[in-house]
Amino acid sequence: MNAEGPQMNAEERRRVFRSTVPSQSFPIRIRRALLSVSDKEGIVELAKALLFHGVEILSTGGTAQLLKLNGVVVTEVGDYTGFPEMMEGRVKTLHPKVHGGILARRDRPDHVRSMQQHGIAPIDMVVVNLYPFAKAVAKPGCTMEEAIENIDIGGPAMVRAAAKNHAFVAVVTDPADYLSIREKMKAHEGALSLEDRHALAAKAFSHSAEYDGMISNWLTARDVQGEAREFPDRLNLQFRLAQPLRYGENPHQSAAFYVERDPPPGTLATFKQVQGKELSYNNIADADAAWECCRAFDVPACVIVKHANPCGVSIADGTLDAYRNAFATDPTSAFGGIIAFNRPVDGATAAAIVENQFVEVMIAPAYDAAARKAFAAKKNVRLLEIALERGANRLETKRVGGGLLVQTPDQFDVAQMRVVTKRAPSEAETNDLLFAFRVARFVKSNAIVFCKDGRTLGVGAGQMSRVDSTRIASIKAKNAGLSLRRSVVASDAFFPFRDGLDVVAKAGARAVIQPGGSLRDEEVIAAADEHGIAMVFTGMRHFRH
């Protein structure tokens, strides 16, 4: 092949002169493809499949070398354009013979004349994925120079050009699509339909948008020396549609569930549904609350959630005891709730749940055969499996009118406690205080949680005053027939007055954990001493709105 590149043969000229018929009606037979990828997974197999269909392959750099080593005949882009790769690979595909071959409309005579005049052959497929910017900047100590060198220029240009011209060109950016492309080309004699090209183009534009968004997020969170600040000046978020939902919080609202491209391991977005009806908007919201609370424990735990609040939490030696104790906290609220376990569920536990209550969603790392059989009798129960991993959400967001609130996750766990009363908590009380404070982190403010022996006894949530949450938690325990004598109490924020502490004491509690920090801390401490209550301060609050 000479430096002028391949000339169009008679068949290609006929193909590009179809100006009398709308181009969109044609499946495109792939005859020439350009392959230039950073992620080499599956590229050899795809290239060999293209060769099988008689496709001429253009390629660059490391991709070309890999293909040659595996017996794939390729033409290097430098030989095609007549210009070698230069400037350490920064310039290799930015050339009219590449972009003209991608962008030319085959149904426009003026475009075809330009191609013929300049020896530009049509390129029917572009297989490109981009420099690994995210991987590069994730490395500890990544410098500004290293980040800049991992910003792809030619790749996004080709991706966008091919996606724009998808009436004539197929663009492939995801190795996960290689197999389906091979199968479709095999089924259609080397051609791809407009529907296929449209779907690939839409995905390609999303890919390039996400890539540019990552770069924008990283650069706008740094100064010229590369010094980082916590939040970027421009925040670009991209989520993919996981599933449309029947409706939103209420039937008159439309809704859908979106997930990150690479959700943190162990988070709700990684669930696998193994049984039951389609998840609803409220199911997903409540399931997230249950799972996040449950996976915060290192020992076997059960969490029952209703309307985004834990109504029962317990740790125990096994799932059955954990469930029974959690359910006993508030059997009324548990009806129609979400149940999460951080250990595999066995048949005995499943049977107890089926016998005791109506449940909307179950969440666990796994279910054994007996548990599957027990839940099969309740075919509408949604069973979700999520691997128990400690991946944390990167950012928490909340939509407000015309804007977005963004914060880092509340991952604080008690590192130290400061005893502020005359009496210090016993070892058993200390263990329960730590358990209670961990639960309080997942209860809507104002949050009050009574606990004893690794289980909740009463939960007060979402009240406008803390003393009302305290009274409600006490009433709920009484209604469930649970004694609060010698229990402990966690408060997600400080007691602003002694009245809440007085209610706690009257209910029978013997120890309290709270952040402290009120102007009336001394008054509250004095009240605790009057009642003989041990109280510790953590210095950290857990509001959850």
mmCIF file of all heavy atoms in Angstrom, residues 373-420:
data_model
loop_
_atom_site.group_PDB
_atom_site.id
_atom_site.type_symbol
_atom_site.label_atom_id
_atom_site.label_comp_id
_atom_site.label_asym_id
_atom_site.label_seq_id
_atom_site.Cartn_x
_atom_site.Cartn_y
_atom_site.Cartn_z
ATOM 1 N N LYS A 373 -36.352 -22.521 49.353
ATOM 2 C CA LYS A 373 -37.598 -23.289 49.310
ATOM 3 C C LYS A 373 -38.665 -22.624 50.174
ATOM 4 O O LYS A 373 -39.838 -22.522 49.777
ATOM 5 C CB LYS A 373 -37.340 -24.716 49.787
ATOM 6 C CG LYS A 373 -38.571 -25.624 49.712
ATOM 7 C CD LYS A 373 -38.218 -27.052 50.134
ATOM 8 C CE LYS A 373 -39.457 -27.946 50.073
ATOM 9 N NZ LYS A 373 -39.149 -29.337 50.483
ATOM 10 N N ALA A 374 -38.285 -22.144 51.356
ATOM 11 C CA ALA A 374 -39.246 -21.496 52.252
ATOM 12 C C ALA A 374 -39.802 -20.227 51.620
ATOM 13 O O ALA A 374 -41.016 -19.964 51.665
ATOM 14 C CB ALA A 374 -38.582 -21.180 53.587
ATOM 15 N N PHE A 375 -38.940 -19.421 51.006
ATOM 16 C CA PHE A 375 -39.397 -18.166 50.399
ATOM 17 C C PHE A 375 -40.150 -18.406 49.093
ATOM 18 O O PHE A 375 -40.946 -17.567 48.675
ATOM 19 C CB PHE A 375 -38.216 -17.225 50.158
ATOM 20 C CG PHE A 375 -37.704 -16.566 51.410
ATOM 21 C CD1 PHE A 375 -36.380 -16.713 51.794
ATOM 22 C CD2 PHE A 375 -38.543 -15.800 52.203
ATOM 23 C CE1 PHE A 375 -35.897 -16.101 52.943
ATOM 24 C CE2 PHE A 375 -38.079 -15.186 53.363
ATOM 25 C CZ PHE A 375 -36.755 -15.345 53.730
ATOM 26 N N ALA A 376 -39.907 -19.527 48.452
ATOM 27 C CA ALA A 376 -40.606 -19.835 47.199
ATOM 28 C C ALA A 376 -42.110 -19.909 47.402
ATOM 29 O O ALA A 376 -42.893 -19.666 46.474
ATOM 30 C CB ALA A 376 -40.080 -21.125 46.605
ATOM 31 N N ALA A 377 -42.516 -20.231 48.622
ATOM 32 C CA ALA A 377 -43.956 -20.274 48.924
ATOM 33 C C ALA A 377 -44.566 -18.880 48.932
ATOM 34 O O ALA A 377 -45.787 -18.735 48.861
ATOM 35 C CB ALA A 377 -44.180 -20.948 50.279
ATOM 36 N N LYS A 378 -43.725 -17.874 49.043
ATOM 37 C CA LYS A 378 -44.154 -16.472 48.983
ATOM 38 C C LYS A 378 -43.492 -15.843 47.761
ATOM 39 O O LYS A 378 -42.525 -15.093 47.857
ATOM 40 C CB LYS A 378 -43.731 -15.732 50.254
ATOM 41 C CG LYS A 378 -44.264 -16.349 51.544
ATOM 42 C CD LYS A 378 -45.769 -16.116 51.686
ATOM 43 C CE LYS A 378 -46.270 -16.633 53.029
ATOM 44 N NZ LYS A 378 -47.728 -16.400 53.189
ATOM 45 N N LYS A 379 -44.031 -16.157 46.595
ATOM 46 C CA LYS A 379 -43.343 -15.833 45.344
ATOM 47 C C LYS A 379 -43.180 -14.342 45.093
ATOM 48 O O LYS A 379 -42.348 -13.941 44.281
ATOM 49 C CB LYS A 379 -44.069 -16.481 44.165
ATOM 50 C CG LYS A 379 -45.494 -15.986 43.959
ATOM 51 C CD LYS A 379 -46.141 -16.678 42.772
ATOM 52 C CE LYS A 379 -47.570 -16.169 42.527
ATOM 53 N NZ LYS A 379 -48.186 -16.848 41.371
ATOM 54 N N ASN A 380 -43.972 -13.515 45.760
ATOM 55 C CA ASN A 380 -43.843 -12.069 45.549
ATOM 56 C C ASN A 380 -42.726 -11.442 46.371
ATOM 57 O O ASN A 380 -42.335 -10.305 46.119
ATOM 58 C CB ASN A 380 -45.163 -11.366 45.886
ATOM 59 C CG ASN A 380 -46.226 -11.605 44.837
ATOM 60 O OD1 ASN A 380 -45.909 -11.890 43.678
ATOM 61 N ND2 ASN A 380 -47.482 -11.516 45.217
ATOM 62 N N VAL A 381 -42.226 -12.172 47.371
ATOM 63 C CA VAL A 381 -41.137 -11.635 48.188
ATOM 64 C C VAL A 381 -39.900 -11.465 47.315
ATOM 65 O O VAL A 381 -39.468 -12.400 46.634
ATOM 66 C CB VAL A 381 -40.817 -12.567 49.372
ATOM 67 C CG1 VAL A 381 -39.594 -12.057 50.131
ATOM 68 C CG2 VAL A 381 -42.005 -12.657 50.308
ATOM 69 N N ARG A 382 -39.351 -10.293 47.352
ATOM 70 C CA ARG A 382 -38.173 -9.991 46.536
ATOM 71 C C ARG A 382 -36.923 -10.395 47.309
ATOM 72 O O ARG A 382 -36.648 -9.838 48.378
ATOM 73 C CB ARG A 382 -38.144 -8.508 46.201
ATOM 74 C CG ARG A 382 -39.406 -8.017 45.500
ATOM 75 C CD ARG A 382 -39.547 -6.519 45.688
ATOM 76 N NE ARG A 382 -40.703 -5.961 45.001
ATOM 77 C CZ ARG A 382 -41.902 -5.800 45.560
ATOM 78 N NH1 ARG A 382 -42.114 -6.205 46.809
ATOM 79 N NH2 ARG A 382 -42.889 -5.245 44.890
ATOM 80 N N LEU A 383 -36.167 -11.331 46.772
ATOM 81 C CA LEU A 383 -34.919 -11.763 47.395
ATOM 82 C C LEU A 383 -33.751 -11.120 46.670
ATOM 83 O O LEU A 383 -33.586 -11.308 45.460
ATOM 84 C CB LEU A 383 -34.764 -13.288 47.338
ATOM 85 C CG LEU A 383 -35.818 -14.154 48.035
ATOM 86 C CD1 LEU A 383 -35.380 -15.616 48.004
ATOM 87 C CD2 LEU A 383 -36.057 -13.704 49.460
ATOM 88 N N LEU A 384 -32.948 -10.366 47.394
ATOM 89 C CA LEU A 384 -31.770 -9.729 46.819
ATOM 90 C C LEU A 384 -30.523 -10.335 47.442
ATOM 91 O O LEU A 384 -30.476 -10.563 48.659
ATOM 92 C CB LEU A 384 -31.774 -8.221 47.085
ATOM 93 C CG LEU A 384 -33.013 -7.415 46.698
ATOM 94 C CD1 LEU A 384 -32.751 -5.930 46.908
ATOM 95 C CD2 LEU A 384 -33.423 -7.691 45.266
ATOM 96 N N GLU A 385 -29.527 -10.575 46.611
ATOM 97 C CA GLU A 385 -28.216 -11.002 47.084
ATOM 98 C C GLU A 385 -27.213 -9.895 46.827
ATOM 99 O O GLU A 385 -27.158 -9.333 45.720
ATOM 100 C CB GLU A 385 -27.765 -12.281 46.373
ATOM 101 C CG GLU A 385 -28.547 -13.521 46.769
ATOM 102 C CD GLU A 385 -28.017 -14.783 46.114
ATOM 103 O OE1 GLU A 385 -27.211 -14.677 45.153
ATOM 104 O OE2 GLU A 385 -28.408 -15.882 46.556
ATOM 105 N N ILE A 386 -26.426 -9.566 47.851
ATOM 106 C CA ILE A 386 -25.377 -8.553 47.726
ATOM 107 C C ILE A 386 -24.140 -9.079 48.440
ATOM 108 O O ILE A 386 -24.216 -9.499 49.598
ATOM 109 C CB ILE A 386 -25.790 -7.200 48.345
ATOM 110 C CG1 ILE A 386 -27.117 -6.713 47.760
ATOM 111 C CG2 ILE A 386 -24.693 -6.161 48.122
ATOM 112 C CD1 ILE A 386 -27.623 -5.410 48.372
ATOM 113 N N ALA A 387 -23.020 -9.056 47.769
ATOM 114 C CA ALA A 387 -21.773 -9.491 48.394
ATOM 115 C C ALA A 387 -21.441 -8.575 49.566
ATOM 116 O O ALA A 387 -21.574 -7.349 49.470
ATOM 117 C CB ALA A 387 -20.637 -9.485 47.377
ATOM 118 N N LEU A 388 -21.027 -9.173 50.669
ATOM 119 C CA LEU A 388 -20.701 -8.387 51.863
ATOM 120 C C LEU A 388 -19.292 -7.833 51.725
ATOM 121 O O LEU A 388 -18.312 -8.454 52.107
ATOM 122 C CB LEU A 388 -20.824 -9.248 53.125
ATOM 123 C CG LEU A 388 -20.628 -8.502 54.445
ATOM 124 C CD1 LEU A 388 -21.703 -7.438 54.622
ATOM 125 C CD2 LEU A 388 -20.637 -9.478 55.611
ATOM 126 N N GLU A 389 -19.195 -6.652 51.138
ATOM 127 C CA GLU A 389 -17.919 -5.963 50.975
ATOM 128 C C GLU A 389 -18.030 -4.583 51.596
ATOM 129 O O GLU A 389 -19.120 -4.053 51.794
ATOM 130 C CB GLU A 389 -17.539 -5.881 49.496
ATOM 131 C CG GLU A 389 -17.366 -7.252 48.847
ATOM 132 C CD GLU A 389 -16.853 -7.154 47.428
ATOM 133 O OE1 GLU A 389 -15.809 -6.506 47.231
ATOM 134 O OE2 GLU A 389 -17.497 -7.708 46.520
ATOM 135 N N ARG A 390 -16.887 -3.966 51.836
ATOM 136 C CA ARG A 390 -16.864 -2.721 52.594
ATOM 137 C C ARG A 390 -16.730 -1.477 51.727
ATOM 138 O O ARG A 390 -16.389 -0.415 52.218
ATOM 139 C CB ARG A 390 -15.718 -2.746 53.610
ATOM 140 C CG ARG A 390 -15.855 -3.861 54.646
ATOM 141 C CD ARG A 390 -17.129 -3.721 55.450
ATOM 142 N NE ARG A 390 -17.270 -4.789 56.443
ATOM 143 C CZ ARG A 390 -18.376 -5.025 57.118
ATOM 144 N NH1 ARG A 390 -19.444 -4.282 56.911
ATOM 145 N NH2 ARG A 390 -18.431 -6.016 57.984
ATOM 146 N N GLY A 391 -16.989 -1.593 50.434
ATOM 147 C CA GLY A 391 -16.901 -0.419 49.582
ATOM 148 C C GLY A 391 -17.840 0.680 50.056
ATOM 149 O O GLY A 391 -19.006 0.424 50.359
ATOM 150 N N ALA A 392 -17.349 1.902 50.126
ATOM 151 C CA ALA A 392 -18.146 3.027 50.624
ATOM 152 C C ALA A 392 -18.613 3.905 49.472
ATOM 153 O O ALA A 392 -17.915 4.033 48.447
ATOM 154 C CB ALA A 392 -17.322 3.870 51.595
ATOM 155 N N ASN A 393 -19.785 4.482 49.619
ATOM 156 C CA ASN A 393 -20.237 5.454 48.635
ATOM 157 C C ASN A 393 -19.250 6.616 48.578
ATOM 158 O O ASN A 393 -18.753 7.074 49.614
ATOM 159 C CB ASN A 393 -21.633 5.966 49.001
ATOM 160 C CG ASN A 393 -22.701 4.909 48.808
ATOM 161 O OD1 ASN A 393 -22.801 4.319 47.742
ATOM 162 N ND2 ASN A 393 -23.490 4.653 49.846
ATOM 163 N N ARG A 394 -18.986 7.082 47.373
ATOM 164 C CA ARG A 394 -17.977 8.134 47.213
ATOM 165 C C ARG A 394 -18.499 9.484 47.690
ATOM 166 O O ARG A 394 -17.802 10.241 48.343
ATOM 167 C CB ARG A 394 -17.550 8.194 45.749
ATOM 168 C CG ARG A 394 -16.953 6.868 45.258
ATOM 169 C CD ARG A 394 -16.672 6.889 43.762
ATOM 170 N NE ARG A 394 -16.115 5.620 43.321
ATOM 171 C CZ ARG A 394 -16.834 4.648 42.769
ATOM 172 N NH1 ARG A 394 -18.135 4.797 42.600
ATOM 173 N NH2 ARG A 394 -16.267 3.522 42.396
ATOM 174 N N LEU A 395 -19.721 9.784 47.310
ATOM 175 C CA LEU A 395 -20.363 11.024 47.720
ATOM 176 C C LEU A 395 -21.825 10.745 48.001
ATOM 177 O O LEU A 395 -22.424 9.849 47.405
ATOM 178 C CB LEU A 395 -20.261 12.093 46.620
ATOM 179 C CG LEU A 395 -18.889 12.696 46.315
ATOM 180 C CD1 LEU A 395 -18.997 13.619 45.105
ATOM 181 C CD2 LEU A 395 -18.333 13.458 47.502
ATOM 182 N N GLU A 396 -22.408 11.524 48.897
ATOM 183 C CA GLU A 396 -23.841 11.467 49.127
ATOM 184 C C GLU A 396 -24.452 12.736 48.555
ATOM 185 O O GLU A 396 -23.896 13.833 48.719
ATOM 186 C CB GLU A 396 -24.144 11.350 50.622
ATOM 187 C CG GLU A 396 -23.723 10.025 51.217
ATOM 188 C CD GLU A 396 -24.042 9.915 52.691
ATOM 189 O OE1 GLU A 396 -24.440 10.944 53.288
ATOM 190 O OE2 GLU A 396 -23.899 8.826 53.244
ATOM 191 N N THR A 397 -25.573 12.585 47.859
ATOM 192 C CA THR A 397 -26.203 13.733 47.225
ATOM 193 C C THR A 397 -27.672 13.804 47.603
ATOM 194 O O THR A 397 -28.299 12.789 47.925
ATOM 195 C CB THR A 397 -26.091 13.655 45.695
ATOM 196 O OG1 THR A 397 -26.778 12.485 45.230
ATOM 197 C CG2 THR A 397 -24.637 13.598 45.243
ATOM 198 N N LYS A 398 -28.195 15.019 47.549
ATOM 199 C CA LYS A 398 -29.618 15.230 47.782
ATOM 200 C C LYS A 398 -30.072 16.371 46.877
ATOM 201 O O LYS A 398 -29.486 17.457 46.882
ATOM 202 C CB LYS A 398 -29.896 15.580 49.247
ATOM 203 C CG LYS A 398 -31.362 15.791 49.554
ATOM 204 C CD LYS A 398 -31.597 16.078 51.033
ATOM 205 C CE LYS A 398 -31.317 14.859 51.878
ATOM 206 N NZ LYS A 398 -31.693 15.074 53.303
ATOM 207 N N ARG A 399 -31.099 16.091 46.092
ATOM 208 C CA ARG A 399 -31.617 17.086 45.155
ATOM 209 C C ARG A 399 -32.462 18.109 45.887
ATOM 210 O O ARG A 399 -33.300 17.768 46.720
ATOM 211 C CB ARG A 399 -32.467 16.389 44.086
ATOM 212 C CG ARG A 399 -32.765 17.253 42.872
ATOM 213 C CD ARG A 399 -31.565 17.346 41.967
ATOM 214 N NE ARG A 399 -31.914 17.875 40.666
ATOM 215 C CZ ARG A 399 -31.902 19.180 40.344
ATOM 216 N NH1 ARG A 399 -31.607 20.077 41.242
ATOM 217 N NH2 ARG A 399 -32.200 19.549 39.120
ATOM 218 N N VAL A 400 -32.204 19.373 45.610
ATOM 219 C CA VAL A 400 -33.049 20.459 46.096
ATOM 220 C C VAL A 400 -33.459 21.292 44.884
ATOM 221 O O VAL A 400 -32.920 21.124 43.787
ATOM 222 C CB VAL A 400 -32.314 21.335 47.135
ATOM 223 C CG1 VAL A 400 -31.960 20.523 48.370
ATOM 224 C CG2 VAL A 400 -31.055 21.963 46.536
ATOM 225 N N GLY A 401 -34.412 22.173 45.076
ATOM 226 C CA GLY A 401 -34.885 22.971 43.950
ATOM 227 C C GLY A 401 -33.770 23.740 43.267
ATOM 228 O O GLY A 401 -33.166 24.641 43.858
ATOM 229 N N GLY A 402 -33.485 23.374 42.019
ATOM 230 C CA GLY A 402 -32.457 24.084 41.248
ATOM 231 C C GLY A 402 -31.034 23.762 41.635
ATOM 232 O O GLY A 402 -30.099 24.428 41.167
ATOM 233 N N GLY A 403 -30.820 22.773 42.486
ATOM 234 C CA GLY A 403 -29.447 22.491 42.899
ATOM 235 C C GLY A 403 -29.267 21.106 43.465
ATOM 236 O O GLY A 403 -30.183 20.273 43.476
ATOM 237 N N LEU A 404 -28.068 20.867 43.964
ATOM 238 C CA LEU A 404 -27.703 19.552 44.481
ATOM 239 C C LEU A 404 -26.821 19.748 45.707
ATOM 240 O O LEU A 404 -25.818 20.466 45.659
ATOM 241 C CB LEU A 404 -26.924 18.774 43.413
ATOM 242 C CG LEU A 404 -26.653 17.290 43.668
ATOM 243 C CD1 LEU A 404 -27.946 16.491 43.544
ATOM 244 C CD2 LEU A 404 -25.618 16.768 42.672
ATOM 245 N N LEU A 405 -27.213 19.128 46.811
ATOM 246 C CA LEU A 405 -26.365 19.100 48.002
ATOM 247 C C LEU A 405 -25.444 17.887 47.907
ATOM 248 O O LEU A 405 -25.886 16.788 47.568
ATOM 249 C CB LEU A 405 -27.214 18.997 49.262
ATOM 250 C CG LEU A 405 -28.039 20.230 49.639
ATOM 251 C CD1 LEU A 405 -29.017 19.894 50.752
ATOM 252 C CD2 LEU A 405 -27.129 21.373 50.057
ATOM 253 N N VAL A 406 -24.177 18.085 48.197
ATOM 254 C CA VAL A 406 -23.188 17.012 48.091
ATOM 255 C C VAL A 406 -22.380 16.979 49.380
ATOM 256 O O VAL A 406 -21.968 18.030 49.893
ATOM 257 C CB VAL A 406 -22.242 17.248 46.890
ATOM 258 C CG1 VAL A 406 -21.214 16.125 46.798
ATOM 259 C CG2 VAL A 406 -23.036 17.357 45.599
ATOM 260 N N GLN A 407 -22.155 15.774 49.893
ATOM 261 C CA GLN A 407 -21.327 15.640 51.088
ATOM 262 C C GLN A 407 -20.590 14.308 51.055
ATOM 263 O O GLN A 407 -20.956 13.387 50.320
ATOM 264 C CB GLN A 407 -22.174 15.727 52.352
ATOM 265 C CG GLN A 407 -23.159 14.589 52.542
ATOM 266 C CD GLN A 407 -23.930 14.685 53.847
ATOM 267 O OE1 GLN A 407 -23.677 15.555 54.678
ATOM 268 N NE2 GLN A 407 -24.876 13.772 54.048
ATOM 269 N N THR A 408 -19.542 14.220 51.874
ATOM 270 C CA THR A 408 -18.857 12.944 52.045
ATOM 271 C C THR A 408 -19.718 12.039 52.926
ATOM 272 O O THR A 408 -20.529 12.530 53.720
ATOM 273 C CB THR A 408 -17.482 13.150 52.700
ATOM 274 O OG1 THR A 408 -17.649 13.842 53.941
ATOM 275 C CG2 THR A 408 -16.572 13.974 51.790
ATOM 276 N N PRO A 409 -19.585 10.721 52.809
ATOM 277 C CA PRO A 409 -20.417 9.812 53.611
ATOM 278 C C PRO A 409 -20.126 9.934 55.099
ATOM 279 O O PRO A 409 -19.005 10.267 55.506
ATOM 280 C CB PRO A 409 -20.024 8.426 53.084
ATOM 281 C CG PRO A 409 -19.393 8.660 51.756
ATOM 282 C CD PRO A 409 -18.730 10.003 51.838
ATOM 283 N N ASP A 410 -21.131 9.650 55.899
ATOM 284 C CA ASP A 410 -20.971 9.619 57.350
ATOM 285 C C ASP A 410 -20.467 8.235 57.736
ATOM 286 O O ASP A 410 -21.240 7.317 57.999
ATOM 287 C CB ASP A 410 -22.317 9.916 58.026
ATOM 288 C CG ASP A 410 -22.224 9.889 59.547
ATOM 289 O OD1 ASP A 410 -21.091 9.812 60.070
ATOM 290 O OD2 ASP A 410 -23.277 9.935 60.202
ATOM 291 N N GLN A 411 -19.165 8.091 57.743
ATOM 292 C CA GLN A 411 -18.561 6.788 58.027
ATOM 293 C C GLN A 411 -17.968 6.706 59.425
ATOM 294 O O GLN A 411 -17.309 5.746 59.783
ATOM 295 C CB GLN A 411 -17.461 6.491 56.997
ATOM 296 C CG GLN A 411 -17.996 6.316 55.588
ATOM 297 C CD GLN A 411 -16.885 6.058 54.602
ATOM 298 O OE1 GLN A 411 -16.143 6.950 54.213
ATOM 299 N NE2 GLN A 411 -16.751 4.805 54.194
ATOM 300 N N PHE A 412 -18.202 7.732 60.230
ATOM 301 C CA PHE A 412 -17.594 7.767 61.556
ATOM 302 C C PHE A 412 -18.102 6.635 62.442
ATOM 303 O O PHE A 412 -19.300 6.358 62.503
ATOM 304 C CB PHE A 412 -17.905 9.109 62.223
ATOM 305 C CG PHE A 412 -17.486 9.180 63.671
ATOM 306 C CD1 PHE A 412 -16.158 9.403 63.994
ATOM 307 C CD2 PHE A 412 -18.397 9.012 64.691
ATOM 308 C CE1 PHE A 412 -15.758 9.474 65.316
ATOM 309 C CE2 PHE A 412 -18.011 9.077 66.020
ATOM 310 C CZ PHE A 412 -16.685 9.313 66.337
ATOM 311 N N ASP A 413 -17.185 5.973 63.098
ATOM 312 C CA ASP A 413 -17.532 5.026 64.138
ATOM 313 C C ASP A 413 -16.795 5.479 65.392
ATOM 314 O O ASP A 413 -15.750 6.140 65.311
ATOM 315 C CB ASP A 413 -17.124 3.604 63.759
ATOM 316 C CG ASP A 413 -18.128 2.585 64.288
ATOM 317 O OD1 ASP A 413 -18.937 2.960 65.148
ATOM 318 O OD2 ASP A 413 -18.092 1.426 63.840
ATOM 319 N N VAL A 414 -17.313 5.126 66.529
ATOM 320 C CA VAL A 414 -16.765 5.651 67.777
ATOM 321 C C VAL A 414 -15.322 5.186 67.957
ATOM 322 O O VAL A 414 -15.049 3.995 68.086
ATOM 323 C CB VAL A 414 -17.613 5.210 68.981
ATOM 324 C CG1 VAL A 414 -17.008 5.758 70.273
ATOM 325 C CG2 VAL A 414 -19.039 5.711 68.820
ATOM 326 N N ALA A 415 -14.412 6.130 67.952
ATOM 327 C CA ALA A 415 -13.010 5.800 68.181
ATOM 328 C C ALA A 415 -12.673 5.926 69.662
ATOM 329 O O ALA A 415 -11.864 5.180 70.200
ATOM 330 C CB ALA A 415 -12.116 6.722 67.360
ATOM 331 N N GLN A 416 -13.301 6.885 70.308
ATOM 332 C CA GLN A 416 -13.071 7.048 71.741
ATOM 333 C C GLN A 416 -14.308 7.675 72.373
ATOM 334 O O GLN A 416 -15.054 8.408 71.725
ATOM 335 C CB GLN A 416 -11.844 7.910 72.003
ATOM 336 C CG GLN A 416 -11.928 9.312 71.399
ATOM 337 C CD GLN A 416 -10.654 10.100 71.630
ATOM 338 O OE1 GLN A 416 -9.617 9.533 71.999
ATOM 339 N NE2 GLN A 416 -10.721 11.392 71.442
ATOM 340 N N MET A 417 -14.507 7.375 73.644
ATOM 341 C CA MET A 417 -15.622 7.943 74.389
ATOM 342 C C MET A 417 -15.066 8.613 75.644
ATOM 343 O O MET A 417 -14.140 8.093 76.281
ATOM 344 C CB MET A 417 -16.621 6.852 74.784
ATOM 345 C CG MET A 417 -17.245 6.123 73.609
ATOM 346 S SD MET A 417 -18.525 4.932 74.121
ATOM 347 C CE MET A 417 -17.539 3.747 75.051
ATOM 348 N N ARG A 418 -15.660 9.726 75.967
ATOM 349 C CA ARG A 418 -15.229 10.470 77.159
ATOM 350 C C ARG A 418 -16.330 10.384 78.212
ATOM 351 O O ARG A 418 -17.453 10.856 77.975
ATOM 352 C CB ARG A 418 -14.943 11.925 76.780
ATOM 353 C CG ARG A 418 -14.513 12.801 77.939
ATOM 354 C CD ARG A 418 -13.961 14.125 77.439
ATOM 355 N NE ARG A 418 -14.941 14.906 76.734
ATOM 356 C CZ ARG A 418 -15.715 15.859 77.297
ATOM 357 N NH1 ARG A 418 -15.607 16.098 78.601
ATOM 358 N NH2 ARG A 418 -16.579 16.546 76.568
ATOM 359 N N VAL A 419 -16.034 9.785 79.338
ATOM 360 C CA VAL A 419 -17.004 9.696 80.431
ATOM 361 C C VAL A 419 -17.127 11.065 81.079
ATOM 362 O O VAL A 419 -16.126 11.670 81.476
ATOM 363 C CB VAL A 419 -16.578 8.643 81.480
ATOM 364 C CG1 VAL A 419 -17.599 8.580 82.615
ATOM 365 C CG2 VAL A 419 -16.424 7.273 80.832
ATOM 366 N N VAL A 420 -18.363 11.557 81.201
ATOM 367 C CA VAL A 420 -18.575 12.907 81.728
ATOM 368 C C VAL A 420 -19.372 12.900 83.036
ATOM 369 O O VAL A 420 -19.634 13.966 83.608
ATOM 370 C CB VAL A 420 -19.289 13.798 80.683
ATOM 371 C CG1 VAL A 420 -18.416 13.998 79.451
ATOM 372 C CG2 VAL A 420 -20.644 13.205 80.279
#
